[in-house]
Short mmCIF file of all heavy atoms in Angstrom, two decimals:
data_model
loop_
_atom_site.label_atom_id
_atom_site.label_comp_id
_atom_site.label_asym_id
_atom_site.label_seq_id
_atom_site.Cartn_x
_atom_site.Cartn_y
_atom_site.Cartn_z
N SER A 3 65.33 98.91 73.75
CA SER A 3 63.95 99.05 74.21
C SER A 3 63.94 98.97 75.73
O SER A 3 63.28 98.17 76.35
CB SER A 3 63.07 97.96 73.62
OG SER A 3 63.49 96.70 74.11
N TYR A 4 64.73 99.82 76.31
CA TYR A 4 64.98 99.83 77.74
C TYR A 4 63.78 100.40 78.47
O TYR A 4 63.59 101.60 78.54
CB TYR A 4 66.24 100.66 77.96
CG TYR A 4 66.56 100.93 79.39
CD1 TYR A 4 66.84 99.88 80.26
CD2 TYR A 4 66.60 102.23 79.87
CE1 TYR A 4 67.15 100.14 81.56
CE2 TYR A 4 66.91 102.49 81.17
CZ TYR A 4 67.19 101.44 82.01
OH TYR A 4 67.51 101.69 83.31
N GLN A 8 60.76 103.68 86.28
CA GLN A 8 60.73 103.88 87.73
C GLN A 8 60.57 105.34 88.08
O GLN A 8 60.92 106.23 87.33
CB GLN A 8 61.99 103.30 88.35
CG GLN A 8 63.03 104.30 88.74
CD GLN A 8 64.25 103.55 89.21
OE1 GLN A 8 64.60 102.53 88.65
NE2 GLN A 8 64.89 104.05 90.20
N ASN A 12 61.61 112.69 95.62
CA ASN A 12 62.52 113.09 96.66
C ASN A 12 62.18 114.50 97.11
O ASN A 12 62.08 115.40 96.32
CB ASN A 12 63.93 113.07 96.09
CG ASN A 12 64.95 113.18 97.16
OD1 ASN A 12 64.97 114.20 97.85
ND2 ASN A 12 65.74 112.17 97.32
N VAL A 24 74.72 123.42 115.29
CA VAL A 24 75.92 123.02 114.57
C VAL A 24 75.56 121.90 113.59
O VAL A 24 75.05 120.87 114.00
CB VAL A 24 77.02 122.52 115.52
CG1 VAL A 24 78.27 122.17 114.75
CG2 VAL A 24 77.30 123.56 116.58
N ASP A 53 76.90 118.32 95.05
CA ASP A 53 76.99 119.18 93.89
C ASP A 53 78.28 119.99 94.01
O ASP A 53 78.38 120.91 94.82
CB ASP A 53 75.75 120.09 93.85
CG ASP A 53 75.72 120.97 92.61
OD1 ASP A 53 76.80 121.39 92.15
OD2 ASP A 53 74.62 121.25 92.12
N TYR A 192 75.15 122.89 103.90
CA TYR A 192 74.17 122.10 103.15
C TYR A 192 73.43 122.85 102.05
O TYR A 192 72.67 122.24 101.30
CB TYR A 192 73.17 121.43 104.10
CG TYR A 192 73.74 120.17 104.70
CD1 TYR A 192 74.23 120.14 105.99
CD2 TYR A 192 73.84 119.02 103.92
CE1 TYR A 192 74.79 119.00 106.51
CE2 TYR A 192 74.39 117.87 104.42
CZ TYR A 192 74.87 117.86 105.72
OH TYR A 192 75.43 116.73 106.23
N ASP A 203 71.34 113.07 100.41
CA ASP A 203 71.71 111.70 100.77
C ASP A 203 70.59 110.73 100.42
O ASP A 203 69.41 111.08 100.43
CB ASP A 203 72.07 111.60 102.25
CG ASP A 203 70.90 111.81 103.16
OD1 ASP A 203 70.65 112.97 103.51
OD2 ASP A 203 70.22 110.83 103.49
N TRP A 212 64.62 99.75 97.18
CA TRP A 212 64.65 99.70 95.72
C TRP A 212 64.93 98.28 95.24
O TRP A 212 64.40 97.84 94.23
CB TRP A 212 65.75 100.61 95.17
CG TRP A 212 65.48 102.07 95.30
CD1 TRP A 212 64.29 102.65 95.63
CD2 TRP A 212 66.41 103.14 95.09
NE1 TRP A 212 64.45 104.02 95.65
CE2 TRP A 212 65.73 104.33 95.32
CE3 TRP A 212 67.76 103.19 94.73
CZ2 TRP A 212 66.35 105.58 95.21
CZ3 TRP A 212 68.36 104.42 94.62
CH2 TRP A 212 67.66 105.61 94.85
N SER B 3 74.74 116.51 114.62
CA SER B 3 73.32 116.82 114.62
C SER B 3 72.87 116.95 113.17
O SER B 3 72.32 117.95 112.73
CB SER B 3 73.04 118.10 115.39
OG SER B 3 73.63 119.18 114.72
N TYR B 4 73.15 115.95 112.44
CA TYR B 4 72.93 115.93 110.99
C TYR B 4 71.43 115.75 110.72
O TYR B 4 70.90 114.66 110.77
CB TYR B 4 73.75 114.77 110.43
CG TYR B 4 73.52 114.47 108.99
CD1 TYR B 4 73.78 115.43 108.04
CD2 TYR B 4 73.05 113.23 108.60
CE1 TYR B 4 73.57 115.17 106.72
CE2 TYR B 4 72.86 112.95 107.28
CZ TYR B 4 73.12 113.92 106.34
OH TYR B 4 72.92 113.66 105.03
N GLN B 8 65.27 113.79 104.46
CA GLN B 8 64.75 113.68 103.09
C GLN B 8 64.06 112.36 102.88
O GLN B 8 64.33 111.37 103.52
CB GLN B 8 65.90 113.87 102.12
CG GLN B 8 66.43 112.61 101.49
CD GLN B 8 67.59 112.99 100.61
OE1 GLN B 8 68.38 113.84 100.96
NE2 GLN B 8 67.70 112.34 99.50
N ASN B 12 60.50 105.41 95.77
CA ASN B 12 60.88 104.80 94.51
C ASN B 12 60.01 103.59 94.23
O ASN B 12 59.89 102.71 95.06
CB ASN B 12 62.34 104.35 94.65
CG ASN B 12 62.89 103.99 93.32
OD1 ASN B 12 62.41 103.05 92.71
ND2 ASN B 12 63.86 104.73 92.86
N VAL B 24 63.12 92.33 73.57
CA VAL B 24 64.55 92.33 73.87
C VAL B 24 64.84 93.47 74.86
O VAL B 24 64.55 94.62 74.60
CB VAL B 24 65.38 92.55 72.59
CG1 VAL B 24 66.86 92.50 72.93
CG2 VAL B 24 65.02 91.51 71.55
N TYR B 192 67.27 92.14 84.23
CA TYR B 192 66.84 93.15 85.21
C TYR B 192 66.31 92.60 86.52
O TYR B 192 66.02 93.35 87.42
CB TYR B 192 65.83 94.12 84.58
CG TYR B 192 66.52 95.18 83.79
CD1 TYR B 192 66.58 95.13 82.40
CD2 TYR B 192 67.18 96.21 84.45
CE1 TYR B 192 67.26 96.09 81.68
CE2 TYR B 192 67.86 97.18 83.75
CZ TYR B 192 67.88 97.12 82.36
OH TYR B 192 68.56 98.06 81.67
N ASP B 203 67.73 102.48 88.25
CA ASP B 203 68.33 103.71 87.74
C ASP B 203 67.72 104.94 88.37
O ASP B 203 66.55 104.95 88.75
CB ASP B 203 68.25 103.76 86.22
CG ASP B 203 66.83 103.94 85.74
OD1 ASP B 203 66.16 102.91 85.55
OD2 ASP B 203 66.38 105.09 85.62
N TRP B 212 66.49 117.01 92.80
CA TRP B 212 66.99 116.97 94.17
C TRP B 212 67.81 118.22 94.47
O TRP B 212 67.78 118.73 95.58
CB TRP B 212 67.89 115.75 94.39
CG TRP B 212 67.18 114.44 94.42
CD1 TRP B 212 65.84 114.24 94.50
CD2 TRP B 212 67.78 113.14 94.38
NE1 TRP B 212 65.57 112.90 94.51
CE2 TRP B 212 66.74 112.20 94.44
CE3 TRP B 212 69.09 112.69 94.31
CZ2 TRP B 212 66.97 110.83 94.43
CZ3 TRP B 212 69.31 111.33 94.29
CH2 TRP B 212 68.27 110.41 94.35
N ARG B 215 67.99 122.04 90.48
CA ARG B 215 68.66 122.54 89.29
C ARG B 215 67.72 122.62 88.10
O ARG B 215 68.10 123.09 87.05
CB ARG B 215 69.83 121.62 88.93
CG ARG B 215 71.14 122.00 89.59
CD ARG B 215 72.18 120.95 89.32
NE ARG B 215 73.51 121.34 89.74
CZ ARG B 215 74.40 121.94 88.96
NH1 ARG B 215 74.09 122.24 87.72
NH2 ARG B 215 75.59 122.24 89.42
#
Side-chain angles (χ1 to χ4, degrees):
Chain A
S3 65
Y4 173 61
Q8 104 185 38
N12 193 297
V24 182
D53 184 326
Y192 279 102
D203 68 271
W212 289 348
Chain B
S3 65
Y4 172 60
Q8 103 182 39
N12 192 296
V24 182
Y192 279 102
D203 69 271
W212 289 348
R215 271 173 171 268

